[in-house]
């Protein structure tokens, strides 16, 4: 059973400067809700209630968000505005949060390794909050779908999406053999391949289930593309030692780490809320 979800949230979010100078990228709101709260709610809906967050300098707002603000509670209690706090109160009541800091931003793989103290020796989920997902089917959120798959395969799983071939240099890309509809056994993985040399157009998005042996592999992983410790390199190693599956999830994903994706997500959720 997957009980914990890790949120690597230490990155600088340079594409959103100056907004991210003093505000964590993960706290940027799509409508009224910060990106990371969407992620926590997705984990909760997959029956995961222990959130492990890897933060860094300037990220204190994340901790404050998932805590009670007594002053605000006092001000708003019994007023017509109290309902604005319903969702976040619910999240705080249902989850436990623990935090650690990544001191130097050495890449996503390194951020995940920093989370080892919070995760321990058990399989866990990973959500990159800047990939905002919404479920469009009755199979639940992306993480719920992946948790079900984990019960079957009991190995690391990455969520994938088909992207236009000329965009592969933005993603980790897999090559695999089809095991069942939408599920591949991975035999190759490349971080941000040039579209001319890409193994496929199946791009990894910000949802993973990882088995804990990934930590030892990460410890031995040398900096790769961009001088960063890449989770893609560690997963390729893991696929050679055992099994890594890739899952073409059902649902919509918005790359809220880019301005374009962020605006698309805002419009999408605005439309959705307006139609409720
Ligand atoms: P990104 O590369 O998309 O995020 O990393 P970034 O570096 O914050 O953004 P830009 O490119 O400068 O605009 C993907 C995820 O990995 C985390 C980020 O916080 C984000 O959630 N990350 C990345 C870390 O936690 N630590 C790192 O060293 C790198």
């Amino acid at each position: 059973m997957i009980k914990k979800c890790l949120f690597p949230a230490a990155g600088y979010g340079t594409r959103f400067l100056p907004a991210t100078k003093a505000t964590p990228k993960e706290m940027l709101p799509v409508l009224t809700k910060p990106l990371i709260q969407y992620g926590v709610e997705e984990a909760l809906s997959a029956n995961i209630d222990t959130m492990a967050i890897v933060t860094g300098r300037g990220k204190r707002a994340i901790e404050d968000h998932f805590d009670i603000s007594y002053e605000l509670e006092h001000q708003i209690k019994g007023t017509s505005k109290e309902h604005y706090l319903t969702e976040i109160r619910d999240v705080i009541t249902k989850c436990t949060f623990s935090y650690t800091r990544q001191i130097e931003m050495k890449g996503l793989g390194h951020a995940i390794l920093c989370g080892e103290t919070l995760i321990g020796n058990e399989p866990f989920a990973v959500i990159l909050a800047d990939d905002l997902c919404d479920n469009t089917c009755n199979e639940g959120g992306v993480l719920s779908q992946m948790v079900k798959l984990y019960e079957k395969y009991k190995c690391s799983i990455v969520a994938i999406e088909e992207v236009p071939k000329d965009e592969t240099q933005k993603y980790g890309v897999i090559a695999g053999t089809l095991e069942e509809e939408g599920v591949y056994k991975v035999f190759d993985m490349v971080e941000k391949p040039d579209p001319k040399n890409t193994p496929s157009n199946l791009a990894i998005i910000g949802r993973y289930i990882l088995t804990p042996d990934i930590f030892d592999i990460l410890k031995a992983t040398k900096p790769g593309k961009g001088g960063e410790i890449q989770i893609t390199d560690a997963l390729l190693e893991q696929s050679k030692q055992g099994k890594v599956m890739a899952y073409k999830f059902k649902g919509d994903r918005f790359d809220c780490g880019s301005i374009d994706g962020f605006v698309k997500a805002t419009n999408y959720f605005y439309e959705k809320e307006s139609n409720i």
Side-chain angles (χ1 to χ4, degrees):
M1 217 174 108
I2 309 289
K3 295 185 298 231
K4 295 182 183 169
C5 185
L6 186 71
F7 292 80
Y12 292 122
T14 50
R15 281 169 288 173
F16 277 88
L17 283 169
T20 45
K21 192 165 170 253
T23 304
K25 174 171 75 171
E26 298 74 16
M27 288 301 295
L28 295 177
V30 166
L31 306 188
T32 55
K33 212 189 296 184
L35 289 173
I36 194 156
Q37 190 180 329
Y38 286 93
V40 167
E41 288 176 1
E42 184 184 326
L44 251 183
S45 71
N47 291 322
I48 298 172
D49 62 6
T50 304
M51 311 299 159
I53 306 185
V54 180
T55 67
R57 283 177 297 284
K59 301 271 187 173
R60 287 284 291 275
I62 298 176
E63 293 175 48
D64 290 339
H65 184 70
F66 295 112
D67 200 350
I68 287 178
S69 163
Y70 282 104
E71 201 180 313
L72 186 63
E73 290 284 341
H74 178 72
Q75 284 287 332
I76 221 166
K77 204 169 174 56
T79 74
S80 59
K81 293 181 179 166
E82 197 173 356
H83 68 278
Y84 292 129
L85 288 178
T86 312
E87 268 185 328
I88 184 64
R89 275 181 185 158
D90 192 45
V91 166
I92 294 170
T93 315
K94 287 182 178 152
C95 304
T96 59
F97 294 88
S98 57
Y99 299 87
T100 190
R101 277 195 182 201
Q102 186 186 20
I103 308 292
E104 287 177 281
M105 306 325 152
K106 294 186 192 167
L108 176 58
H110 181 257
I112 291 174
L113 182 54
C114 290
E116 184 180 13
T117 50
L118 305 177
I119 298 295
N121 188 26
E122 57 183 284
F124 61 103
V126 177
I127 288 185
L128 305 187
D130 46 8
D131 264 341
L132 178 49
C133 295
D134 191 38
N135 49 322
T136 51
C137 65
N138 54 12
E139 288 175 45
V142 180
L143 215 53
S144 300
Q145 297 167 36
M146 292 173 78
V147 165
K148 273 183 215 126
L149 210 62
Y150 176 79
E151 280 156 19
K152 179 167 179 190
Y153 288 100
K154 299 271 189 276
C155 67
S156 289
I157 304 170
V158 297
I160 50 166
E161 178 178 276
E162 278 187 50
V163 296
K165 266 237 160 121
D166 59 355
E167 288 185 15
T168 56
Q169 73 283 3
K170 294 190 201 160
Y171 299 91
V173 171
I174 70 120
T177 47
L178 193 66
E179 290 274 311
E180 60 177 290
E181 201 197 328
V183 182
Y184 299 80
K185 186 171 175 189
V186 173
F187 62 78
D188 196 12
M189 250 185 204
V190 187
E191 184 61 26
K192 300 190 172 65
D194 188 288
K196 287 188 203 106
N197 300 317
T198 187
S200 76
N201 69 336
L202 298 173
I204 303 170
I205 64 120
R207 298 290 181 279
Y208 305 78
I209 287 184
L210 300 175
T211 50
D213 54 309
I214 198 74
F215 293 126
D216 280 342
I217 299 173
L218 278 167
K219 282 173 202 157
T221 302
K222 301 254 170 353
K225 198 105 185 190
E228 297 190 331
I229 296 176
Q230 301 288 356
I231 187 65
T232 314
D233 294 340
L235 279 164
L236 178 61
E237 188 55 34
Q238 197 179 38
S239 73
K240 287 177 193 155
Q241 293 178 12
K243 222 171 31 171
V244 173
M245 308 303 285
Y247 170 59
K248 212 195 268 185
F249 68 94
K250 300 188 180 92
D252 284 328
R253 178 199 65 109
F254 301 93
D255 173 14
C256 290
S258 74
I259 310 277
D260 201 39
F262 194 91
V263 172
K264 279 190 186 136
T266 304
N267 290 335
Y268 169 91
F269 281 96
Y270 182 70
E271 283 286 311
K272 193 174 166 181
E273 300 266 303
S274 309
N275 289 330
I276 288 173

